[in-house]
Amino acid sequence: MRLVLSVLAILCFSSCARASIVISFEELTLFTGNNPAGGGQFYNGNNGSGITNNDGWTSGGVYFGNSYTGDFLPDFDFWSGWAYSNVSNSTSPGFTNQYAAFPGGGSTDTGEVAVGGNYAVAFGAGAYFNLPNNTSLASVRLTNVTYPALAMQNGDSFSKKFGGATGNDPDFFRVALDGFDGLNGSGALIGSVVVDLADFTSADNSQDFILDNWLDVDLASISSARSVTLSFSSSDVGEFGINTPAYIAMDNLELTVVPEPTAFAMLACYGTWIVLRRVRHRRRYV
């Protein structure tokens, strides 16, 4: 009897076992742009034709929303949402380096810098990604993009140097990952995970920082979300909203996968429950 129960239990629990997958973007090979500031390539929604589209793109079953407008080529095009990149350039300031992760490359499994590795770049509030069925969010690695990082570090024509002239200004730049129970950022808000991309609010200036490494972020509080959108906040605000360029880089998005149980496994689980119930019932009256 114990052997039968053990076999049934193994069949039952193995069918519902959780596995993890990590979205590292390394399988993505369609690069249609060379970084103007040098250091690698990117894909921002331009499929090579320059035609405006809103198709988005997929990696590891996760759908990343993208909006690309090529109507002003060859002089100018515009994108928002998610791009992907392998750019390694942490030194060139300005808009032309908007596809570069500030650490100088993608992230390894352990959070070190992978020069030439792929990663995702988001631009603009409302950038979203959708999760495949039977998955839940576990964690992700996030960091700054070089363009906003150097703008905060040194200031530019659009945004201020964080800390100001004295270094005492209580500046900050944050991103919120907002989890929703519907796709495309729809439905009810489940919760938010807020990450400091720069924080100069401490009274001790030695604690001020601009994130320059890949930060491992726990997403357990929004694990049940079907989609995630981004929202940015900054202490540097102007007439048209925040002045800090609203970008973030992402790599190694970890999901927990719960496979659908097969009919045989469901029968095994049901059988296990019946047998255990009978055994407990019998013991009660022995």
Side-chain angles (χ1 to χ4, degrees):
M1 175 61 71
R2 289 182 178 178
L3 178 60
V4 172
L5 287 174
S6 298
V7 171
L8 287 171
I10 290 171
L11 287 171
C12 176
F13 294 118
S14 64
S15 69
C16 300
R18 292 174 176 264
S20 293
I21 60 172
V22 176
I23 313 301
S24 64
F25 310 104
E26 293 302 327
E27 85 284 6
L28 301 173
T29 58
L30 176 63
F31 294 97
T32 56
N34 294 308
N35 195 44
Q41 297 176 296
F42 63 87
Y43 174 80
N44 64 358
N46 181 358
N47 61 14
S49 66
I51 296 174
T52 295
N53 75 77
N54 298 290
D55 292 342
W57 49 274
T58 301
S59 180
V62 179
Y63 174 80
F64 293 84
N66 169 277
S67 177
Y68 172 79
T69 302
D71 297 344
F72 305 103
L73 289 173
D75 298 322
F76 179 76
D77 62 356
F78 178 81
W79 71 281
S80 62
W82 289 94
Y84 60 84
S85 169
N86 61 17
V87 175
S88 300
N89 186 330
S90 58
T91 59
S92 298
F95 173 76
T96 58
N97 205 19
Q98 62 177 313
Y99 302 102
F102 194 38
S107 175
T108 66
D109 292 342
T110 56
E112 304 299 322
V113 177
V115 177
N118 289 356
Y119 54 90
V121 174
F123 166 55
Y128 71 90
F129 59 86
N130 294 334
L131 284 303
N133 293 330
N134 305 316
T135 64
S136 59
L137 290 163
S139 65
V140 70
R141 286 199 171 93
L142 299 177
T143 194
N144 273 304
V145 167
T146 300
Y147 171 32
L150 293 182
M152 292 184 286
Q153 180 176 294
N154 305 313
D156 61 22
S157 57
F158 299 102
S159 51
K160 66 171 291 189
K161 175 182 178 180
F162 270 31
T166 64
N168 295 326
D169 291 359
D171 289 310
F172 65 86
F173 179 46
R174 296 170 184 143
V175 63
L177 286 78
D178 302 316
F180 291 86
D181 64 5
L183 298 178
N184 307 331
S186 67
L189 176 66
I190 292 172
S192 299
V193 175
V194 179
V195 178
D196 287 325
L197 300 173
D199 190 349
F200 284 61
T201 61
S202 174
D204 179 2
N205 288 350
S206 68
Q207 300 299 311
D208 296 345
F209 72 89
I210 297 171
L211 184 65
D212 61 359
N213 63 284
W214 285 102
L215 179 68
D216 194 8
V217 179
D218 186 355
L219 300 179
S221 64
I222 58 171
S223 62
S224 61
R226 305 318 315 143
S227 65
V228 174
T229 67
L230 302 183
S231 54
F232 294 88
S233 58
S234 173
S235 55
D236 184 10
V237 179
E239 181 181 357
F240 301 103
I242 67 172
N243 294 323
T244 310
Y247 291 80
I248 193 170
M250 179 177 82
D251 208 350
N252 294 353
L253 174 63
E254 183 180 3
L255 308 180
T256 301
V257 182
V258 182
E260 290 282 359
T262 65
F264 179 76
M266 292 177 67
L267 181 62
C269 291
Y270 179 71
T272 302
W273 178 78
I274 291 294
V275 173
L276 288 173
R277 185 181 181 188
R278 287 180 176 175
V279 169
R280 289 171 182 168
H281 181 76
R282 187 176 300 169
R283 286 176 178 173
R284 185 181 302 174
Y285 294 101
V286 171

